Amino acid sequence: MSGGVAPAPAQMATTRDRMAGFGAGLASGATKLLVGHPFDTVKIRCQIEGGHGRFRGPLDCLASTVRNEGARALYKGASIPLVGWAAMDAVQLGSLSNYRLLLQGGNKSHELSHFQHGLAGLGAGWTVAMVASPVEIIKMRLQMQYAGGAARQYRGPTDVARHLIRTYGAFGLWHGLPATLAQRSFFFFLWGSYDVYSKWLRTLHMPRSGRPPPEKLVNFMAGGMAANTFWTLCYPVDVVKNRYMTQPDPSAIPFRRMFAHVFRAEGLSGFFRGFVPSFIRSFPTNASAIFVWESTVRVLRGESRV
């Protein structure tokens, strides 16, 4: 008999395993809204206003928004993410779980490589883009309204949806889908790096106990670091996507030409408008969301790992 280490016994995925990611994603999406929406409003306004002179920077945008529109303005457009982020995270994280299981051949005990985790993230990104595209275009159109009362262009999410369908046809809500697919492709780096950071953190030892850090702490820290990695890499594409999706209708500049338009108008700095609030927001928002997701998945699967 060979003296090698015996492979771990197969743990074949059940229906409960396949569905847990979707249910836990609902909790993750609600967490993102609570923690991240004010940062998102500042980011979107800085990105889209660009160098037009309305704001001197993120802090000025925050102060001006609260001063002129009240603190509630930081949650403009939040009704769509309240449902949308829950739906998006359910689709993203549920599909991520299932793409991982697909790459594992249905055997949960089979360990994936960093690259395979990235591939699962890429698949999840493309899958959730179908849900994210209409949610994001409606949310951003509402976030970019500065006027109130009768001067508002849109009275609410339904009004934005009607306008898009009237302007672009039956698939108007998916105006900007190619841009969303391009931005969501960077989920390869989000989930690939999450696996890298998670495995590295598990090799460390807590100062007093000398034991590895608790799994929930690993989830939180790795989630935050992976989110910072993701936004650092994809931010220019995110700026271009958002400019394209919020330009006056009908869109005058195609997505593929928006890169050149931003560069000509503002130079390289134009691709990093609003980066600071986005980078600051990404750690607590995504660390909290991934922590909630991983913890909820373990509960739904009946696992006791802490």
Side-chain angles (χ1 to χ4, degrees):
M1 180 180 289
S2 170
V5 177
Q11 299 179 36
M12 302 310 292
T14 64
T15 301
R16 182 177 182 179
D17 293 320
R18 297 184 185 281
M19 297 304 297
F22 292 100
L26 294 171
S28 170
T31 303
K32 280 184 180 176
L33 176 72
L34 180 65
V35 178
H37 196 77
F39 290 100
D40 187 64
T41 296
V42 172
K43 181 201 80 166
I44 292 295
R45 288 188 167 190
C46 287
Q47 280 184 337
I48 295 168
E49 287 298 331
H52 301 322
R54 186 186 289 267
F55 307 117
R56 293 188 299 275
L59 290 178
D60 182 52
C61 177
L62 174 64
S64 176
T65 298
V66 173
R67 182 173 60 249
N68 296 327
E69 304 169 64
R72 291 180 61 185
L74 296 172
Y75 281 90
K76 275 189 174 181
S79 58
I80 283 293
L82 179 61
V83 177
W85 272 350
M88 286 193 296
D89 270 24
V91 172
Q92 181 210 153
L93 298 172
S95 63
L96 175 72
S97 297
N98 282 276
Y99 287 132
R100 286 175 175 174
L101 288 171
L102 179 65
L103 291 169
Q104 290 173 310
N107 178 7
K108 295 190 297 179
S109 64
H110 175 69
E111 186 172 344
L112 298 178
S113 66
H114 301 320
F115 182 77
Q116 288 175 313
H117 276 283
L119 282 181
L122 176 64
W126 285 351
T127 302
V128 77
M130 299 301 297
V131 179
S133 193
V135 169
E136 290 187 347
I137 195 170
I138 292 173
K139 172 182 71 72
M140 288 189 292
R141 296 289 178 106
L142 292 172
Q143 285 176 315
M144 291 308 297
Q145 284 197 137
Y146 295 98
R152 291 181 301 171
Q153 181 180 1
Y154 305 115
R155 294 187 298 276
T158 304
D159 197 33
V160 179
R162 277 199 297 260
H163 169 78
L164 290 168
I165 293 170
R166 204 163 44 237
T167 304
Y168 297 106
F171 295 100
L173 293 177
W174 285 269
H175 174 67
L177 177 60
T180 307
L181 285 167
Q183 191 256 5
R184 289 305 197 278
S185 296
F186 285 82
F187 276 21
F188 176 92
F189 301 102
L190 173 65
W191 292 107
S193 67
Y194 177 69
D195 186 56
V196 172
Y197 293 133
S198 295
K199 289 177 178 174
W200 171 69
L201 286 166
R202 292 185 188 115
T203 66
L204 304 180
H205 300 281
M206 301 296 287
R208 294 185 179 179
S209 67
R211 298 177 180 176
E215 188 62 20
K216 291 181 179 181
L217 179 60
V218 170
N219 298 154
F220 183 87
M221 296 301 298
M225 291 188 290
N228 281 163
T229 301
F230 166 77
W231 280 110
T232 300
L233 293 173
C234 89
Y235 198 80
V237 176
D238 189 63
V239 170
V240 172
K241 172 184 77 77
N242 295 344
R243 296 277 185 97
Y244 170 70
M245 293 172 73
T246 56
Q247 63 183 313
D249 297 312
S251 297
I253 305 172
F255 172 64
R256 65 183 180 278
R257 296 180 184 171
M258 185 61 78
F259 290 90
H261 172 76
V262 172
F263 182 74
R264 281 196 305 269
E266 303 172 49
L268 286 175
S269 64
F271 293 105
F272 293 92
R273 300 282 181 189
F275 177 76
V276 172
S278 179
F279 190 82
I280 294 172
R281 158 189 175 267
S282 68
F283 192 102
T285 301
N286 291 281
S288 300
I290 291 175
F291 164 78
V292 167
W293 178 66
E294 292 274 24
S295 299
T296 307
V297 162
R298 286 194 286 270
V299 170
L300 294 177
R301 287 180 174 174
E303 297 173 356
S304 60
R305 186 184 182 188
V306 294

